[in-house]
Amino acid sequence: MKRWFALAAALASLCLLPSPQASADETSVTLWHAYGEAEARGLHEAITAFEAAHPGVNVTEVAVPFGAYASKLESAIPTGNGPDVFIVAHDGIRTYVDGELVASIGPIPTAVSDDVERGYLDAFRVDNVLYGLPIALKCTALYVNEALLATPPASLEEFRALAPVLAPGVSPLAFETDSAYYAAAVLHAFGGELLDATGHYTFTGPSAERTVAVLRDLVQQDVVPQDASGALVTQLFASGRAAAAISGPWLATDLPAGLRYRVVPLPTVGGHRMRSFVSVEGALLARGARDAATSRDLIAFLASPSGALPRALIGRQTVTSNAVQADARVANDSLLSAFRAAASHSVLMPTHRKMRAAFEPANRALRKALEGEMPIRVALAEGAHRFEMITRETMPAQNPTVFLVVVGLLFLVLTIVSIRKIADAGMRARIRRSWPAYRYVLHAALAIALLVILPLLVGAATSFFAGHGRDMHFVGVANYVDILTAQGGPIFAHGSFWLVLLVTVLWTVLNLLLHVSIGVALALALHRPMLKMRGAYRVLLILPWAVPSYVTALAWKGMFHRQLGSVNAILSHLGVEPVSWFAHFSTAFAANLATNTWLGFPFMMVVTLGALASIPNDLYEAASVDGATSWQRFRFITLPLLGPALAPAVAMGAVWTFNMFNVVFLVSGGEPDGTTEILVSEAYRWAFTRSQQYGYAAAYAVLIFLLLVGGNRLLSRNTEPVGGTR
Amino acid sequence: MAGLTLRNVKKVLGKTPILHGIDLDVRDGELVVLVGPSGCGKSTLLRTIAGLEVPDEGEIRIADRDVTHLPPRERDVSMVFQSYALYPHLTVRDNLAFGLKLRGASAQTIEERIGEVSSMLELTPLLERFPRQLSGGQRQRVAMGRAVARHPALFLFDEPLSNLDAALRAEVRVEIKRLHDRLHATTIYVTHDQVEAMTLADRLVVLRAGRVEQIGAPLEVYEKPRTLFVAGFLGSPAMNFIPASIDSGIARAKDFAVHVPASIGGPTVTVGVRSEDVVVAESDGQLRFVVDVVERLGFDCHAYGKVGDVSFVARLNGEVARTAMRGTVIALNVRDGKAHFFDVQSGDAVQ
Amino acid sequence: MKQSSTRAVLVEVAIHFVLLVAVCAALYPILWVVSLALAPSGAPDARALPIPDSISFHSFASVLFRQNSSGTWVFAVQLFNSVVISLATSFVAVAIATPASYALARFRFVGSKAGTSLLLFTQMFPGVAASVPLYLLLDSLHLLDTRSGLILVYATSAVPFAIFQLRSAFEAIPREIEEAAMVDGATQFGAFLRVALPAARPALAVTGLFAFMTAWNEFILAATFLSREEMFTVPLLLNSYVSEYSAAWGNFAAGAILVSIPVCVLFYALQRQLAGGLTSGSVKG
Ligand SMILES: Nc1ncnc2c1ncn2[C@@H]1O[C@H](COP(=O)(O)OP(=O)(O)OP(=O)(O)O)[C@@H](O)[C@H]1O
Ligand SMILES: [Mg+2]
């Protein structure tokens, strides 16, 4: 006992262990970024220079995990926990302004205004207020393997001619054809755009169709490998199996040291130059920055030539400063100069609020058209429709009075009922007798109420609201109505709640069947007392449970990769054609299922092992004496006794599987076309990738909750109440 | 002094009433044995006395102290559970010492007591083992030892010897008797074993379905059962019961006729005869006993068979015991004054 | 006789075969991660067998000895954070859950049924909806960016499942041993502390392990609540290898393996209790 107290005390002191803080007399500025290693190093060098120039100023850099960056900014800045300066791409600027996350930095410092092109500066201007300064550019260019191609082809058509010339197994060109980000470069060449200035989705019509046709031809004529992911592009180019690649500056960091390559601006297509999107990365002043003056200085410094140079040289960033381009070391770096040139041909990423929502439907349309699943025109039209669905107008605000009255009445009734109950003498006596028990549960009840139930209630309450940030408003049950009526479309329309529910149920049932049958089978095999190497088998079979699921989910996704995945490699050894796992519902669903089965069977196996161990051996002996065959023993002793033991585990497993976000999100990601999405991952998408409709997502979450509660009630009516009540 | 008094103790478990108002006075130093069929509430009664169950009604006094609402630890009782209830994580030694430690006994006292009970119950070689490393009988002895080591005011034993082999059981039984004589602790002892009940008890309490059926010295209860139930419950083989009709001072049934005391009226009566209370008749007996099976036990035998249509067991010795076999017809007489008469309706003994 | 023994051998062989296939399937993706971590290129490659052509510990080294821009040995700091947070989480979660689950197993009290249902319900509500309110809550408690805050959140989120686990464990312990302790002079709480708790040790260990895993593997909440690098946990480090534009899969894999080792060791150490701890009680209760 004492040992435990000592351990607890030690742990407590360790968690309260203070971390080094800036001393009081220093001015401290916090800067957030989501850069990878090399860029972070360049940035750090620049900041060191800034600190040297401003004695007494201490800048804290925080590399925020990319996945959480946007939502973190959104929650941290309004509560005063955010950075003073943060680095983001310009396309989200309107969201930041709407969310009141940024503050004006005043007029452009002259050192910057003379040095940086107007267009880039304006990227951070909304309604004539400037919120930050540009520091770097991200666009794509053409990487050419010098060993394979002496001169870089000037047009996509020239690549076409290369196909027969190059050695077998070498593609002329590699890029992510089914990504709207890359396809946009062709679209722009033909004068099209993804989204117009007023926020209308414009990936339809002649230029879009022409774009898709060009891409489809490239794939069909084996100029570009089919459904290439970013990893595949890197892999092909790095290993010399693609003579050229279209990618951004990030590709360079993944290339082996020995590879000889050049970077040039994008080629032409149909006589027009391909023009990729360019994102301008800037340093923005956060609203509520503690020391606004110093923060502004830091922003100006990062944008200035002296702040840009280390970022260019060490981080190999395509910096916006013009003066730096004159530096010999920058000018001689072909990567830097090529991207700089490429950027000047590029199209600034639109800053419209709906821009981010345009990629999902555009990607899907592209994939469908390139797979030849449907005619180009149909695929594009479907994309446009999908865009309308996910960017639907926010619901009109509703007067909350009626709602409040209803809630108030409900509350009143509840209060009266509970007072009645307490007034009852028998009830009071029982409550009095419960006191000793309450002393045991009090702290758990408090902790759960405060940290689990309260946040869930607040979360549930947001389902009655729409919009986010400042224009969050009450909409009553409109979100629910919208979801349950499939947004007015057919009930089982693509992506509707009901269809997703169907998939989710199928997912849960199949998973549980597999978990239980595999788990029980293995447990039965392991339960034989005379089995050799029993311990070793058991340990190895538990391993999938021990490894973090996000790691193994990613590993499985890799294994199902069409070109790089080992599943197809195994299949090809067996003489089976490679399968595009994520191109069809059945195969994508199977991939998710395989992953989750792999993750989940050890739990069932271990539970079964425990249950088996608790069946007395006498029973089997008695049955043997009675002349039961081994099958009869299994059928009439093992199975009936196993059932009740497994029931709580199965119930728990059903809940977990129903809400198994990780696997679906990481493995298939909903591919193809959102069909393998389950309810939780759909909720997540509404919250984070579809213009942050938290209310809508919360309504999904509440519906999931109600479904599970209802299901539990239904199933536990006949059998023993599962998991919860006794 | 440390007697025990129960007044109208009632207990309801769940919705089933288990104890229906138990009254019992146990004198200080008395050993009371509680018997009754399985499920009649013996364990429940013991648990109520220990304070593990709070009675729904009634009063419990230990040593003239009202303990009805005191927690177990303040009652100074110790209990041997039917299921041993040894602490699985403690060695035998620590199991024995647990209660003493909790009560702040000195290390020396603890040592002494452990030595005392372990030599008495032959636990010395087991002291360092864990309960899971013991046989059923060994566990039961540890449970006994744990109760004894504390020297409480009141012992509660719930079938403490049920898992011991015959020899050990006899030995521990004598030990308990000796211990009781020495410590003179008030003891309530539950058992299904007739020998234990008869030999240990100062007084015997027969419980039936949550009610006290009879209280008295063991022999008194055996010889003068107040009800049909008590009569049938005590004694092995069980008492024979023959339904008979009374006709001019004689209770008659098929192949059966005994004299009835004049006080007993009524058209019918149940006659009880213990198996050892019959003797072979010279010529015509009161019973005509047809033998079916004979168990020869050496000195005597149990003969199972029928009197008329009623099953009957007779304990016989002498020549018949050797020669009786299936089909043998024996004329028997009931020993004088050994016939018991019970009211057919109520089951109460009638004189 | 002869026949039945050959049959027994055949059954034995079949069982070994099934188990071997299962083990291969269980290990395959893990070996794949290992091979990725050991491959000099650190890039995925299409091959059926997860055996790299040559082995390099470069990825492991770069994860293990990673320093941040100011020269701090981040891996050590973040590992330290992860260890402290996970240990404290499992400690706090078990400490909170144990008395409550004991009460649910032993006492009948007003609200116990409603409480258990509520506990079950918390497991059914997708966590997505709770992260923003939780953030605001921690902010108002001034616990953002602290280890204690994260521990509190992890521990409470692990409590419901821990209560279910421990409740069945306590139900499996015969009531009599606590009653014996009370007769022996212990209070109700003393009986819980000195008898029930030690008897439930295996289940406590398993429950602690699960709570440990909750904290050890968690990423989303850590990313939301922590914004100082010296407070980051190891999953955040792993995530930093996968940024918006590029992914250092070799480093990610190496990090993943390093992260998995402690949990694997714990699983190995507790494997016996695991089987018992998960079902003890669910069989009887
Ligand atoms: N928790 C309970 N709820 C309802 N009834 C119970 C409960 N516990 C015991 N009983 C019932 O109470 C009665 C008395 O039980 P108790 O254990 O006292 O019997 P007993 O005389 O000790 O029997 P045995 O000789 O078999 O040990 C039994 O009929 C039993 O079924
Ligand atoms: Mg009993």
Side-chain angles (χ1 to χ4, degrees), chain B residues 13-16 18 36-45 82 158-159 190 192:
Chain B
L13 285 177
K15 289 203 164 58
T16 341
I18 307 290
S38 181
C40 70
K42 303 180 298 288
S43 300
T44 310
L45 183 59
Q82 199 169 356
D158 198 348
E159 302 184 33
V190 171
H192 281 293

PDB file of all heavy atoms in Angstrom, chain B residues 13-16 18 36-45 82 158-159 190 192, ligand 1:
ATOM      1  N   LEU B  13     -35.237 -11.379   2.640  1.00  0.00           N
ATOM      2  CA  LEU B  13     -34.179 -11.203   1.628  1.00  0.00           C
ATOM      3  C   LEU B  13     -34.849 -11.011   0.287  1.00  0.00           C
ATOM      4  O   LEU B  13     -35.613 -11.882  -0.144  1.00  0.00           O
ATOM      5  CB  LEU B  13     -33.262 -12.424   1.580  1.00  0.00           C
ATOM      6  CG  LEU B  13     -32.266 -12.580   2.727  1.00  0.00           C
ATOM      7  CD1 LEU B  13     -31.477 -13.868   2.567  1.00  0.00           C
ATOM      8  CD2 LEU B  13     -31.321 -11.398   2.785  1.00  0.00           C
ATOM      9  N   GLY B  14     -34.509  -9.916  -0.354  1.00  0.00           N
ATOM     10  CA  GLY B  14     -35.218  -9.619  -1.585  1.00  0.00           C
ATOM     11  C   GLY B  14     -36.673  -9.421  -1.209  1.00  0.00           C
ATOM     12  O   GLY B  14     -37.005  -8.513  -0.442  1.00  0.00           O
ATOM     13  N   LYS B  15     -37.553 -10.287  -1.714  1.00  0.00           N
ATOM     14  CA  LYS B  15     -38.951 -10.181  -1.317  1.00  0.00           C
ATOM     15  C   LYS B  15     -39.401 -11.402  -0.522  1.00  0.00           C
ATOM     16  O   LYS B  15     -40.550 -11.492  -0.116  1.00  0.00           O
ATOM     17  CB  LYS B  15     -39.819 -10.016  -2.572  1.00  0.00           C
ATOM     18  CG  LYS B  15     -39.638  -8.659  -3.216  1.00  0.00           C
ATOM     19  CD  LYS B  15     -40.849  -8.289  -4.055  1.00  0.00           C
ATOM     20  CE  LYS B  15     -40.869  -6.808  -4.379  1.00  0.00           C
ATOM     21  NZ  LYS B  15     -39.666  -6.346  -5.098  1.00  0.00           N
ATOM     22  N   THR B  16     -38.464 -12.369  -0.330  1.00  0.00           N
ATOM     23  CA  THR B  16     -38.833 -13.598   0.372  1.00  0.00           C
ATOM     24  C   THR B  16     -38.566 -13.442   1.863  1.00  0.00           C
ATOM     25  O   THR B  16     -37.439 -13.148   2.245  1.00  0.00           O
ATOM     26  CB  THR B  16     -37.951 -14.764  -0.114  1.00  0.00           C
ATOM     27  OG1 THR B  16     -37.392 -14.406  -1.364  1.00  0.00           O
ATOM     28  CG2 THR B  16     -38.704 -16.048  -0.193  1.00  0.00           C
ATOM     29  N   ILE B  18     -37.373 -14.828   5.108  1.00  0.00           N
ATOM     30  CA  ILE B  18     -36.550 -16.006   5.390  1.00  0.00           C
ATOM     31  C   ILE B  18     -36.683 -16.397   6.856  1.00  0.00           C
ATOM     32  O   ILE B  18     -36.856 -17.556   7.187  1.00  0.00           O
ATOM     33  CB  ILE B  18     -35.069 -15.719   5.065  1.00  0.00           C
ATOM     34  CG1 ILE B  18     -34.930 -15.187   3.642  1.00  0.00           C
ATOM     35  CG2 ILE B  18     -34.225 -16.960   5.268  1.00  0.00           C
ATOM     36  CD1 ILE B  18     -35.204 -16.179   2.556  1.00  0.00           C
ATOM     37  N   GLY B  36     -31.316 -28.105  10.877  1.00  0.00           N
ATOM     38  CA  GLY B  36     -32.497 -27.861  10.071  1.00  0.00           C
ATOM     39  C   GLY B  36     -32.178 -28.213   8.640  1.00  0.00           C
ATOM     40  O   GLY B  36     -31.005 -28.281   8.271  1.00  0.00           O
ATOM     41  N   PRO B  37     -33.196 -28.461   7.843  1.00  0.00           N
ATOM     42  CA  PRO B  37     -32.926 -28.864   6.460  1.00  0.00           C
ATOM     43  C   PRO B  37     -32.261 -27.732   5.672  1.00  0.00           C
ATOM     44  O   PRO B  37     -32.323 -26.574   6.075  1.00  0.00           O
ATOM     45  CB  PRO B  37     -34.316 -29.178   5.910  1.00  0.00           C
ATOM     46  CG  PRO B  37     -35.258 -28.456   6.800  1.00  0.00           C
ATOM     47  CD  PRO B  37     -34.627 -28.380   8.142  1.00  0.00           C
ATOM     48  N   SER B  38     -31.667 -28.116   4.576  1.00  0.00           N
ATOM     49  CA  SER B  38     -30.982 -27.139   3.737  1.00  0.00           C
ATOM     50  C   SER B  38     -31.963 -26.050   3.296  1.00  0.00           C
ATOM     51  O   SER B  38     -33.084 -26.345   2.908  1.00  0.00           O
ATOM     52  CB  SER B  38     -30.394 -27.861   2.522  1.00  0.00           C
ATOM     53  OG  SER B  38     -29.722 -26.951   1.732  1.00  0.00           O
ATOM     54  N   GLY B  39     -31.519 -24.805   3.399  1.00  0.00           N
ATOM     55  CA  GLY B  39     -32.356 -23.688   2.942  1.00  0.00           C
ATOM     56  C   GLY B  39     -33.339 -23.206   3.973  1.00  0.00           C
ATOM     57  O   GLY B  39     -34.180 -22.365   3.678  1.00  0.00           O
ATOM     58  N   CYS B  40     -33.239 -23.675   5.204  1.00  0.00           N
ATOM     59  CA  CYS B  40     -34.234 -23.274   6.188  1.00  0.00           C
ATOM     60  C   CYS B  40     -33.880 -21.951   6.842  1.00  0.00           C
ATOM     61  O   CYS B  40     -34.675 -21.411   7.618  1.00  0.00           O
ATOM     62  CB  CYS B  40     -34.403 -24.352   7.255  1.00  0.00           C
ATOM     63  SG  CYS B  40     -32.978 -24.485   8.332  1.00  0.00           S
ATOM     64  N   GLY B  41     -32.673 -21.444   6.586  1.00  0.00           N
ATOM     65  CA  GLY B  41     -32.327 -20.132   7.115  1.00  0.00           C
ATOM     66  C   GLY B  41     -31.264 -20.156   8.196  1.00  0.00           C
ATOM     67  O   GLY B  41     -31.076 -19.163   8.891  1.00  0.00           O
ATOM     68  N   LYS B  42     -30.537 -21.238   8.303  1.00  0.00           N
ATOM     69  CA  LYS B  42     -29.518 -21.314   9.356  1.00  0.00           C
ATOM     70  C   LYS B  42     -28.413 -20.293   9.106  1.00  0.00           C
ATOM     71  O   LYS B  42     -28.053 -19.514   9.997  1.00  0.00           O
ATOM     72  CB  LYS B  42     -28.895 -22.725   9.386  1.00  0.00           C
ATOM     73  CG  LYS B  42     -29.906 -23.840   9.582  1.00  0.00           C
ATOM     74  CD  LYS B  42     -29.259 -25.200   9.610  1.00  0.00           C
ATOM     75  CE  LYS B  42     -28.538 -25.568   8.321  1.00  0.00           C
ATOM     76  NZ  LYS B  42     -29.439 -25.871   7.193  1.00  0.00           N
ATOM     77  N   SER B  43     -27.884 -20.301   7.896  1.00  0.00           N
ATOM     78  CA  SER B  43     -26.823 -19.347   7.581  1.00  0.00           C
ATOM     79  C   SER B  43     -27.329 -17.924   7.731  1.00  0.00           C
ATOM     80  O   SER B  43     -26.627 -17.053   8.244  1.00  0.00           O
ATOM     81  CB  SER B  43     -26.309 -19.558   6.159  1.00  0.00           C
ATOM     82  OG  SER B  43     -25.802 -20.854   6.015  1.00  0.00           O
ATOM     83  N   THR B  44     -28.550 -17.697   7.291  1.00  0.00           N
ATOM     84  CA  THR B  44     -29.097 -16.343   7.394  1.00  0.00           C
ATOM     85  C   THR B  44     -29.166 -15.917   8.854  1.00  0.00           C
ATOM     86  O   THR B  44     -28.822 -14.781   9.192  1.00  0.00           O
ATOM     87  CB  THR B  44     -30.494 -16.298   6.752  1.00  0.00           C
ATOM     88  OG1 THR B  44     -30.411 -16.882   5.457  1.00  0.00           O
ATOM     89  CG2 THR B  44     -30.993 -14.876   6.649  1.00  0.00           C
ATOM     90  N   LEU B  45     -29.578 -16.826   9.697  1.00  0.00           N
ATOM     91  CA  LEU B  45     -29.666 -16.488  11.118  1.00  0.00           C
ATOM     92  C   LEU B  45     -28.286 -16.144  11.669  1.00  0.00           C
ATOM     93  O   LEU B  45     -28.088 -15.148  12.371  1.00  0.00           O
ATOM     94  CB  LEU B  45     -30.280 -17.666  11.887  1.00  0.00           C
ATOM     95  CG  LEU B  45     -30.495 -17.409  13.380  1.00  0.00           C
ATOM     96  CD1 LEU B  45     -31.423 -16.222  13.587  1.00  0.00           C
ATOM     97  CD2 LEU B  45     -31.051 -18.638  14.067  1.00  0.00           C
ATOM     98  N   GLN B  82     -19.496 -21.031   5.792  1.00  0.00           N
ATOM     99  CA  GLN B  82     -19.736 -22.296   5.102  1.00  0.00           C
ATOM    100  C   GLN B  82     -18.782 -22.443   3.926  1.00  0.00           C
ATOM    101  O   GLN B  82     -18.339 -23.525   3.606  1.00  0.00           O
ATOM    102  CB  GLN B  82     -21.181 -22.284   4.611  1.00  0.00           C
ATOM    103  CG  GLN B  82     -21.726 -23.635   4.295  1.00  0.00           C
ATOM    104  CD  GLN B  82     -23.238 -23.572   4.073  1.00  0.00           C
ATOM    105  OE1 GLN B  82     -23.866 -22.530   4.226  1.00  0.00           O
ATOM    106  NE2 GLN B  82     -23.812 -24.694   3.732  1.00  0.00           N
ATOM    107  N   ASP B 158     -20.557 -22.040  10.924  1.00  0.00           N
ATOM    108  CA  ASP B 158     -21.495 -22.491   9.898  1.00  0.00           C
ATOM    109  C   ASP B 158     -20.922 -23.746   9.235  1.00  0.00           C
ATOM    110  O   ASP B 158     -20.076 -23.650   8.352  1.00  0.00           O
ATOM    111  CB  ASP B 158     -21.725 -21.381   8.868  1.00  0.00           C
ATOM    112  CG  ASP B 158     -22.985 -21.624   8.048  1.00  0.00           C
ATOM    113  OD1 ASP B 158     -23.524 -22.735   8.130  1.00  0.00           O
ATOM    114  OD2 ASP B 158     -23.410 -20.696   7.344  1.00  0.00           O
ATOM    115  N   GLU B 159     -21.347 -24.891   9.664  1.00  0.00           N
ATOM    116  CA  GLU B 159     -20.872 -26.182   9.154  1.00  0.00           C
ATOM    117  C   GLU B 159     -19.355 -26.217   9.025  1.00  0.00           C
ATOM    118  O   GLU B 159     -18.827 -26.379   7.931  1.00  0.00           O
ATOM    119  CB  GLU B 159     -21.513 -26.481   7.802  1.00  0.00           C
ATOM    120  CG  GLU B 159     -23.027 -26.496   7.903  1.00  0.00           C
ATOM    121  CD  GLU B 159     -23.674 -26.880   6.591  1.00  0.00           C
ATOM    122  OE1 GLU B 159     -23.060 -27.675   5.875  1.00  0.00           O
ATOM    123  OE2 GLU B 159     -24.766 -26.370   6.317  1.00  0.00           O
ATOM    124  N   VAL B 190     -23.694 -24.525  13.509  1.00  0.00           N
ATOM    125  CA  VAL B 190     -24.629 -25.089  12.530  1.00  0.00           C
ATOM    126  C   VAL B 190     -24.037 -26.364  11.964  1.00  0.00           C
ATOM    127  O   VAL B 190     -22.855 -26.407  11.625  1.00  0.00           O
ATOM    128  CB  VAL B 190     -24.877 -24.098  11.374  1.00  0.00           C
ATOM    129  CG1 VAL B 190     -25.672 -24.766  10.270  1.00  0.00           C
ATOM    130  CG2 VAL B 190     -25.596 -22.870  11.871  1.00  0.00           C
ATOM    131  N   HIS B 192     -25.047 -30.289   9.782  1.00  0.00           N
ATOM    132  CA  HIS B 192     -25.978 -31.287   9.243  1.00  0.00           C
ATOM    133  C   HIS B 192     -25.664 -32.661   9.808  1.00  0.00           C
ATOM    134  O   HIS B 192     -26.349 -33.629   9.503  1.00  0.00           O
ATOM    135  CB  HIS B 192     -25.855 -31.352   7.712  1.00  0.00           C
ATOM    136  CG  HIS B 192     -26.574 -30.256   7.025  1.00  0.00           C
ATOM    137  ND1 HIS B 192     -27.940 -30.136   7.031  1.00  0.00           N
ATOM    138  CD2 HIS B 192     -26.134 -29.188   6.314  1.00  0.00           C
ATOM    139  CE1 HIS B 192     -28.301 -29.080   6.359  1.00  0.00           C
ATOM    140  NE2 HIS B 192     -27.222 -28.471   5.912  1.00  0.00           N
TER     141      HIS B 192
HETATM  142  N1  LIG D   1     -30.118 -12.903  -1.367  1.00  0.00           N
HETATM  143  C1  LIG D   1     -31.165 -13.718  -1.224  1.00  0.00           C
HETATM  144  N2  LIG D   1     -32.345 -13.370  -1.735  1.00  0.00           N
HETATM  145  C2  LIG D   1     -33.435 -14.173  -1.587  1.00  0.00           C
HETATM  146  N3  LIG D   1     -33.380 -15.342  -0.984  1.00  0.00           N
HETATM  147  C3  LIG D   1     -32.208 -15.765  -0.478  1.00  0.00           C
HETATM  148  C4  LIG D   1     -31.032 -14.974  -0.576  1.00  0.00           C
HETATM  149  N4  LIG D   1     -30.033 -15.653   0.021  1.00  0.00           N
HETATM  150  C5  LIG D   1     -30.564 -16.794   0.461  1.00  0.00           C
HETATM  151  N5  LIG D   1     -31.860 -16.868   0.160  1.00  0.00           N
HETATM  152  C6  LIG D   1     -32.796 -17.954   0.513  1.00  0.00           C
HETATM  153  O1  LIG D   1     -32.874 -17.962   1.901  1.00  0.00           O
HETATM  154  C7  LIG D   1     -33.082 -19.262   2.385  1.00  0.00           C
HETATM  155  C8  LIG D   1     -32.152 -19.530   3.541  1.00  0.00           C
HETATM  156  O2  LIG D   1     -30.845 -19.571   3.108  1.00  0.00           O
HETATM  157  P1  LIG D   1     -29.641 -20.011   4.086  1.00  0.00           P
HETATM  158  O3  LIG D   1     -28.386 -19.863   3.376  1.00  0.00           O
HETATM  159  O4  LIG D   1     -29.810 -19.316   5.379  1.00  0.00           O
HETATM  160  O5  LIG D   1     -29.980 -21.558   4.275  1.00  0.00           O
HETATM  161  P2  LIG D   1     -29.203 -22.627   5.163  1.00  0.00           P
HETATM  162  O6  LIG D   1     -30.172 -23.057   6.172  1.00  0.00           O
HETATM  163  O7  LIG D   1     -27.923 -22.103   5.605  1.00  0.00           O
HETATM  164  O8  LIG D   1     -29.019 -23.807   4.125  1.00  0.00           O
HETATM  165  P3  LIG D   1     -27.755 -24.804   3.952  1.00  0.00           P
HETATM  166  O9  LIG D   1     -27.927 -25.856   4.985  1.00  0.00           O
HETATM  167  O10 LIG D   1     -27.969 -25.352   2.606  1.00  0.00           O
HETATM  168  O11 LIG D   1     -26.537 -24.005   4.121  1.00  0.00           O
HETATM  169  C9  LIG D   1     -32.860 -20.182   1.190  1.00  0.00           C
HETATM  170  O12 LIG D   1     -34.136 -20.691   0.810  1.00  0.00           O
HETATM  171  C10 LIG D   1     -32.298 -19.324   0.153  1.00  0.00           C
HETATM  172  O13 LIG D   1     -32.788 -19.713  -1.103  1.00  0.00           O
END
